[in-house]
Amino acid sequence: ITESEELIATAAKHDSVKEMLKLDEDGSKIGRIKPFEDDTSYDRKKLTLYVENVAMEFKEEEVDGEKDDEKKTKKTPIRYIVKHGDIKKLFNEYGKVSYVKLRYGGFFRKDEETDEMDKYKSPKNRKSPSRPLGSAFVEFTSVEEMDKAAKVLIAEGDEEPSTVLELEGRKLKVKTMQAWIDAKEKAKAEREEKKKESGNKRARDEDDDG
């Protein structure tokens, strides 16, 4: 944080922000060229795309398998091999990007039901170091800019979008942040329903045994 008028003026003229910020007449205060919109200032979902399959570097190590003398390779993500600027530059071609957030979380485990990698939420690992999750949020300067990018980067249904972005040899999967949230909530509801059905079946089996 600084109160230096010279530093403030220099920062406001930087290429990364000059299209979003402006100086007042005496060069001592910064303001937005386009003010926050009332309907989006508290709702970043309307400005944001969710990006999957962001390239990571993995550490491989041998761990014990389920059977005696069995060994298997465990892959743990340790860092991203792309930077915020790489993603911003790529998406800027389709809409003006204001912010990129690479996502981090807890340990990973393989879900026994879906065979997918999922965050490991065991209490004993809550204090363990965060790992890259292989995904990012890309926030645009306005709803219009986000919509412009979404039209070419997101397809309806299972079809391929008109433009597929690649970074470090990996095809990026893009969806709106709201679609990502909806998918998470749906998956959670399905898990809870399955757990409920499993509990009901167990209760019926116990009644039959009785």
Side-chain angles (χ1 to χ4, degrees):
I1 305 296
T2 180
E3 295 181 359
S4 167
E5 294 182 5
E6 182 179 353
L7 288 177
I8 290 172
T10 301
K13 294 175 183 177
H14 193 273
D15 289 343
S16 63
V17 296
K18 67 181 182 181
E19 295 181 354
M20 295 184 290
L21 303 178
K22 62 182 179 181
L23 287 168
D24 63 2
E25 291 183 0
D26 62 6
S28 62
K29 294 182 180 179
I30 292 178
R32 284 178 169 267
I33 293 176
K34 182 175 181 178
F36 275 122
E37 300 171 18
D38 288 341
D39 65 334
T40 61
S41 58
Y42 298 103
D43 189 358
R44 316 317 297 169
K45 297 190 295 293
K46 296 179 181 179
L47 302 175
T48 306
L49 295 179
Y50 172 71
V51 184
E52 292 179 328
N53 210 29
V54 180
M56 301 180 290
E57 180 182 336
F58 290 83
K59 177 180 70 175
E60 294 188 359
E61 58 182 329
E62 277 196 351
V63 296
D64 294 332
E66 296 179 0
K67 299 178 181 179
D68 293 341
D69 299 326
E70 181 186 25
K71 295 289 184 181
K72 60 181 181 180
T73 301
K74 176 184 176 183
K75 295 176 67 175
T76 303
I78 55 175
R79 70 179 184 91
Y80 285 102
I81 58 176
V82 298
K83 298 179 179 179
H84 296 79
D86 299 327
I87 297 176
K88 184 174 182 179
K89 181 179 179 181
L90 186 64
F91 279 82
N92 254 333
E93 296 183 23
Y94 305 94
K96 292 181 181 178
V97 175
S98 62
Y99 178 71
V100 172
K101 180 180 180 180
L102 291 167
R103 298 181 66 240
Y104 291 81
F107 275 86
F108 284 68
R109 65 176 173 83
K110 180 164 284 191
D111 189 291
E112 295 177 358
E113 296 177 357
T114 65
D115 202 39
E116 296 289 335
M117 299 302 288
D118 194 7
K119 285 181 68 177
Y120 188 57
K121 298 180 180 179
S122 172
K124 68 179 181 180
N125 281 330
R126 284 179 184 164
K127 294 183 179 179
S128 55
S130 290
R131 308 289 189 191
L133 297 177
S135 56
F137 293 125
V138 178
E139 184 179 308
F140 292 81
T141 57
S142 67
V143 174
E144 291 78 16
E145 291 296 312
M146 195 280 278
D147 286 342
K148 184 170 67 173
K151 284 180 181 178
V152 295
L153 301 178
I154 301 175
E156 294 292 332
D158 297 328
E159 296 181 1
E160 283 273 313
S162 58
T163 301
V164 178
L165 300 182
E166 289 192 27
L167 201 55
E168 291 293 330
R170 299 180 69 87
K171 291 184 178 180
L172 302 180
K173 300 177 183 178
V174 182
K175 63 179 71 173
T176 64
M177 187 175 182
Q178 184 61 61
W180 171 71
I181 291 172
D182 291 344
K184 284 186 66 177
E185 291 178 347
K186 181 181 178 182
K188 181 180 178 181
E190 289 174 350
R191 288 195 302 270
E192 290 177 349
E193 182 63 26
K194 190 170 183 179
K195 184 178 179 181
K196 181 179 178 181
E197 290 177 357
S198 178
N200 291 339
K201 183 179 182 301
R202 186 163 55 248
R204 289 194 300 269
D205 291 342
E206 290 174 354
D207 290 341
D208 291 341
D209 292 339

